[in-house]
Amino acid sequence: MNIKNIIQCRIGFFAALLAIIIIIYPLGYSLTDYAIANDRAEAQPFLERTAPEITDCVEDTIYMRYHHWELLGKIREEIVRYGKRGDVSLDTCKKCHTSRVKFCNKCHDAISMTPDCFGCHYYP
Amino acid sequence: MDRRDFMKMTGGTILAVSSGTYAFQFLVASGRSVSGDNIAAGTVRWGMVIDLNKCIEGCTACLDACRTENNVAFHGDNRWDVHWIRKVKAEQKIGTESKEKSILLLCNHCDKPPCAQVCPVQATYKRNDGIVIVDHHRCIGCRYCMIACPYNARYFNMKDSEHWQNEERPKRSHGVAEACTLCAHRLDTGRQPACVEACNNTGAGVLFVGNLNDSDSEVSQLIADRPTKRLREELGTEPKVHYIGL
């Protein structure tokens, strides 16, 4: 029985395996990236806290690093469209991260990405 | 297995796994989720009463307070200036007689807002408490709402505003339409709008803002006791700004 026969017998299995590999590949890639980024010391130079008595962010650091725009988008939707003015807003960020130049811009400049927030919202 | 079965199986697996991962996203999403309005429809309905008889000629306290509170664009040029509230001369013709009156004009926060109906991206919408608001994040600057508004209460930001007097509030960038928000940020936190506060500080007491659905509120009492008129009632937009002495 040569290799050609094996493939022909099990072709359904190979099709499924190929599909799963294609789907899993980007997921695994980003997961590995995520794990490496957490271990690297030099990946965390951005936080410039000026209020050391506040140790907790509204969400944990990893979430904020990779999803802060989603959080800000949700807060924006709650405030603007539903009138829910809760505890968290862009002003809450300003309490610890007082300078946009020293905090936000570090990453945003590195990936040359300019968010539209600060054309209208005051953040020195 | 023939080619047909092979295709079926590959397609089926891709569909199953991808829909699984898609559902997984929602399961692991953060606890914060956007839900409905915090005010149930019909409990609060903000409205305004303007007593023009008491309004002082030449006083601009409310106009200035509005500019300072909301960073409304001011360039000193009528082509680009934005006004959320302004004083205009209204003319009324009855037969051959015509009378002219200086009135305060602002967004009327209509119950059936034509501006919200024409907005192609639903940037302008009516909140459950009756305030008509522009979501500047969503506005594409098409200016349909300015054409639709029968009160000319809407303005367009032709330029970036250089005004940033109140740093707690955002200013507007170039290319969005805007109008009075009835200081929704203040009403949400239980304060009175900036114009009302300024007007009361001058002692005139021309402007009143309150809940129209609550029959004990000051505005409801005024509407019940005094003869009030609304602008262009015949259009059926159901404006919520009531004028005394129009």
Side-chain angles (χ1 to χ4, degrees), chain B residues 129-200:
Chain B
D129 53 5
I131 300 176
V132 179
I133 280 193
V134 191
D135 184 349
H136 295 113
H137 305 103
R138 210 179 276 199
C139 179
I140 54 170
C142 71
R143 288 171 261 182
Y144 281 11
C145 52
M146 292 170 65
I147 301 163
C149 180
Y151 306 102
N152 272 358
R154 288 190 155 244
Y155 280 86
F156 187 71
N157 281 283
M158 295 286 179
K159 282 179 169 189
D160 266 2
S161 163
E162 287 140 26
H163 244 47
W164 219 327
Q165 292 153 319
N166 184 4
E167 288 165 357
E168 287 172 15
R169 299 294 305 152
K171 67 179 178 65
R172 259 70 54 193
S173 55
H174 158 249
V176 291
E178 61 176 331
C180 162
T181 62
L182 212 59
C183 282
H185 60 285
R186 279 168 162 254
L187 290 173
D188 282 345
T189 49
R191 290 187 295 160
Q192 287 282 297
C195 51
V196 179
E197 225 171 70
C199 191
N200 289 341

Side-chain angles (χ1 to χ4, degrees), chain A residues 8 11-16 18-20 23-24 27 59 63 71 73-85 88 91 94 118-123, chain B residues 1 6 9-10 13-14 17-18 21 30 32-38 122-123 125 127 133-135 137-138 164 167-173 184-185 188-189:
Chain A
Q8 268 173 358
I11 196 149
F13 170 74
F14 280 117
L18 187 68
I20 288 175
I23 291 162
I24 293 296
L27 194 70
E59 295 277 348
Y63 177 84
L71 181 76
K74 281 174 183 172
I75 294 167
R76 176 184 85 188
E77 196 167 318
E78 279 182 358
I79 293 177
V80 177
R81 295 201 84 87
Y82 301 114
K84 281 186 180 169
R85 286 167 209 277
V88 185
D91 291 338
K94 272 189 245 172
F118 309 113
C120 303
H121 291 277
Y122 187 78
Y123 205 140
Chain B
M1 178 181 276
F6 179 80
M9 198 156 243
T10 318
T13 321
I14 288 179
V17 179
S18 55
T21 25
S30 154
R32 178 179 281 275
S33 64
V34 179
S35 51
D37 218 299
N38 65 332
Q122 279 149 42
Y125 61 100
R127 296 200 329 180
I133 280 193
V134 191
D135 184 349
H137 305 103
R138 210 179 276 199
W164 219 327
E167 288 165 357
E168 287 172 15
R169 299 294 305 152
K171 67 179 178 65
R172 259 70 54 193
S173 55
H185 60 285
D188 282 345
T189 49

Side-chain angles (χ1 to χ4, degrees), chain A residues 1 5 12 15 31 42 51 63 70 72-73 77 80 94 99 107:
Chain A
M1 201 191 211
N5 285 345
L31 273 177
E42 68 269 27
Y63 177 84
E70 291 170 14
L72 288 170
E77 196 167 318
V80 177
K94 272 189 245 172
S99 170
C107 289

